[in-house]
Structure formats: structure tokens, C-alpha cells
């Protein structure tokens, strides 16, 4: 996948692309990227990229001129183009999966009060919000979208790690433990060291259900549960739960 991020502050994003899993994905040719400084597309001697809002109001808006030239150079329109904005559609795992199928993505980071609407109308295919709060700039939101998307590209992370993560099958993830088996007098749940794989599977599913019910009950709508999962839930109920105590 080719990721092109348009920003006034490429240095905020640079470290992410040069570190850890993303670095390896780039080295293995699974991801290519371009961090475009929108200011490079300003034509006046001060490289101005913002101005006052027509009709009045607080704050400044990103100018359409530099943005349009930067987007044209990035191949948009013609490439799925995301503008991260609190006024967009709420981002989630399904949305990330959808974007991960694209061969190319252009992501536009806003600043100030945002961007001139004509840029959105002409170039943007997806207005995405990462949550119901307002950040001071789009770079953190763009990184959230990039991170959620690129890790779903085949080969970046093993399929096994992804299969039981939160939101897969409409459930949050179960609690996990590592060594030591006794930490600060708190033991790892017995079932996890029992070696009884069927019980471990049932314990994990029960925990996924409990956590989802506690924090995100709306995820448990029928539409989001696979037939397999519903069958498993019914079997657990019929068997009266798991053998091991919680
Ligand atoms: N005036 C805008 C509004 O009320 O919708 C908020 C602008 S915000 C201060 C500046 C930039 O941060 C936005 O253009 C956007 O790129 C980014 N941003 C802020 N909150 C965001 C969110 N929840 N999701 C995605 N991007 C966000």
C-alpha cells in the first residue's frame, strides 16, 4: 500500500514511519509512504497556508491553493482521499478493514479551524473522525487511521494475532497475562495454566462477553455476532459455564 500524508508538520509523523512494525513493513516493501509538506506548495514568498474565515468567526482556515496543488501532486482525485476531521464519519475497525483493501491512500491533516470546504468537495472521498472530541491538529488523528489500517495489510502482522483482537466478531478482547504466574501476590487465573485448551477457549469467550457487556454493550447486537460465535455462546450457556473458577 502507498500512503501519502499531507501535513504542515511532517516531522510529527516521521518517527512513526521510521520505527518498529511500520519500519519493518516499509523495509519489506509492504508499505511505501510519502510525507508531503503542504507548505512546499505555497507560492507566495512567506509560504502562507492559512487565512481568515469568510463570514467572520474565530481562527484561521487552511488555504485551498496550496492544498489543491499538494493533492493534485499526490494523485487525488483518483485515489481514496481521507480528510481527518471531528465532523467526519466515526472511525472503527470495519472502516479500517475497508481502507486496508486500497492500493493507495491519501490522508489530509487539518490545522487551525480546518480546511476550505471546496477542497473537501473536490478531493475528499472520506471525512473521518477518530472520536467525539476535538484535537488541536490532524496529525495525531492521521496516525491513528494509518496505524489501524496498515497493520491489517497481509503480511504486516500474523493473522493469528489479529483474529482474537477487540472488535473481531463484535467482541472486545479477553484479559491476558504473562510471567510471573504470581505477581504482587496476584495469581494468573488457574484455567490459563491448566493446559485444558477447551476450557481456556471458553474462559476467554466468557471474559470477552463480560467485558463487552460492561463497556460496549451496543457491540453485542445480533447483527455483529457471527453464527459461530452465537453457537458457542449458546453451548457455554447450555453447559453451565466453565469448569474453572474465574
Ligand atoms: N473547527 C473544527 C471543528 O469544529 O470541527 C475543528 C478543527 S481542529 C481544532 C483542527 C484539526 O484537527 C481538524 O481540521 C482535524 O484535521 C483535526 N482533528 C481534530 N479533532 C479530530 C477528530 N476527532 N478526528 C479527526 N481529526 C480531528
Amino acid at each position: 500500500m502507498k500512503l501519502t500524508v499531507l501535513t504542515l508538520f511532517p516531522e510529527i509523523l516521521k518517527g512513526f514511519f521510521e520505527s518498529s512494525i511500520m519500519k519493518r513493513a516499509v523495509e519489506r516493501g509492504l508499505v511505501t509512504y510519502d510525507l508531503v509538506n503542504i507548505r512546499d506548495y505555497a507560492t507566495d514568498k512567506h509560504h502562507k497556508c492559512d487565512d481568515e474565515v469568510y463570514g467572520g468567526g474565530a481562527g484561521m482556515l487552511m488555504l485551498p491553493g496550496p492544498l489543491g496543488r499538494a493533492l493534485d501532486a499526490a494523485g487525488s482525485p483518483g485515489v481514496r482521499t481521507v480528510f481527518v476531521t471531528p465532523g467526519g464519519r466515526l472511525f472503527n475497525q470495519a472502516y479500517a478493514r475497508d481502507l486496508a483493501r486500497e492500493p493507495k491512500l491519501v490522508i489530509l491533516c487539518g490545522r487551525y479551524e480546518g480546511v476550505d470546504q471546496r477542497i473537501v468537495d473536490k478531493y475528499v472521498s472520506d471525512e473521518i473522525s477518530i472520536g467525539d472530541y476535538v484535537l488541536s491538529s490532524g496529525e495525531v488523528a492521521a496516525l491513528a487511521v494509518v496505524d489501524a489500517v496498515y497493520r491489517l495489510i497481509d503480511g504486516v502482522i500474523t493473522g493469528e494475532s489479529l483474529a482474537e483482537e477487540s472488535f473481531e466478531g463484535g467482541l472486545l478482547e479477553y484479559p491476558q497475562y504473562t510471567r510471573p504466574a504470581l505477581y504482587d501476590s496476584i495469581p494468573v487465573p488457574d484455567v490459563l495454566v491448566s493446559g485444558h485448551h477447551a476450557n481456556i477457549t471458553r474462559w476467554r469467550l466468557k471474559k470477552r462477553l463480560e467485558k463487552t457487556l460492561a463497556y460496549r454493550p451496543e457491540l453485542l447486537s445480533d447483527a455483529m455476532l457471527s453464527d459461530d460465535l452465537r453457537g458457542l455462546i449458546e453451548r457455554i450457556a447450555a453447559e453451565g459455564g466453565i469448569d474453572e473458577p474465574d
Side-chain angles (χ1 to χ4, degrees):
M1 171 184 278
K2 166 85 186 278
L3 290 163
T4 305
V5 187
L6 276 59
T7 167
L8 285 170
F9 295 90
E11 63 274 18
I12 296 177
L13 302 147
K14 199 166 171 280
F16 180 82
F17 281 88
E18 293 178 354
S19 309
S20 189
I21 303 171
M22 177 59 98
K23 181 182 177 193
R24 283 203 299 279
V26 171
E27 285 169 354
R28 290 164 62 206
L30 299 170
V31 173
T32 57
Y33 71 95
D34 199 5
L35 302 180
V36 176
N37 191 336
I38 297 161
R39 211 170 286 286
D40 292 344
Y41 291 87
T43 46
D44 69 307
K45 69 174 179 179
H46 298 297
H47 299 285
K48 189 174 159 72
C49 283
D50 61 292
D51 209 331
E52 292 166 354
V53 182
Y54 275 120
M60 306 292 270
L61 211 57
M62 290 174 79
L63 289 169
L67 276 177
R69 285 187 287 278
L71 284 159
D72 284 334
S76 170
V79 174
R80 191 115 175 235
T81 300
V82 171
F83 172 44
V84 282
T85 167
R89 199 175 132 199
L90 206 53
F91 194 52
N92 63 18
Q93 190 69 9
Y95 208 151
R97 283 205 176 280
D98 178 42
L99 292 180
R101 285 191 278 269
E102 298 291 330
K104 290 181 182 175
L105 276 185
V106 173
I107 303 180
L108 170 58
C109 304
R111 277 262 156 184
Y112 320 116
E113 288 307 313
V115 307
D116 187 292
Q117 183 61 34
R118 290 166 290 184
I119 288 296
V120 177
D121 295 343
K122 180 171 177 186
Y123 294 95
V124 172
S125 57
D126 298 68
E127 290 184 81
I128 294 182
S129 166
I130 63 158
D132 293 344
Y133 41 79
V134 179
L135 304 167
S136 57
S137 66
E139 283 73 18
V140 169
L143 280 182
V145 172
V146 165
D147 196 4
V149 168
Y150 93 96
R151 66 194 295 281
L152 297 175
I153 296 169
D154 273 353
V156 172
I157 286 178
T158 66
E160 212 172 71
S161 309
L162 300 175
E164 290 194 333
E165 280 187 325
S166 295
F167 308 113
E168 297 303 330
L171 296 176
L172 302 180
E173 195 176 54
Y174 47 78
Q176 298 183 89
Y177 302 82
T178 183
R179 292 188 181 86
L182 195 65
Y183 164 71
D184 201 19
S185 306
I186 309 165
V188 167
D190 288 345
V191 64
L192 297 180
V193 289
S194 67
H196 193 307
H197 295 296
N199 275 354
I200 292 172
T201 302
R202 279 180 288 190
W203 182 88
R204 286 178 168 167
L205 179 58
K206 183 168 173 269
K207 290 295 173 188
R208 295 184 79 189
L209 284 165
E210 282 171 2
K211 192 163 185 191
T212 310
L213 272 169
Y215 292 156
R216 300 293 304 278
E218 79 281 7
L219 294 177
L220 280 172
S221 65
D222 278 353
M224 298 189 75
L225 291 177
S226 69
D227 287 347
D228 277 359
L229 194 52
R230 246 178 281 144
L232 205 48
I233 293 165
E234 280 161 19
R235 281 210 299 283
I236 287 174
E239 288 168 11
I242 58 168
D243 300 343
E244 297 279 339
D246 287 355

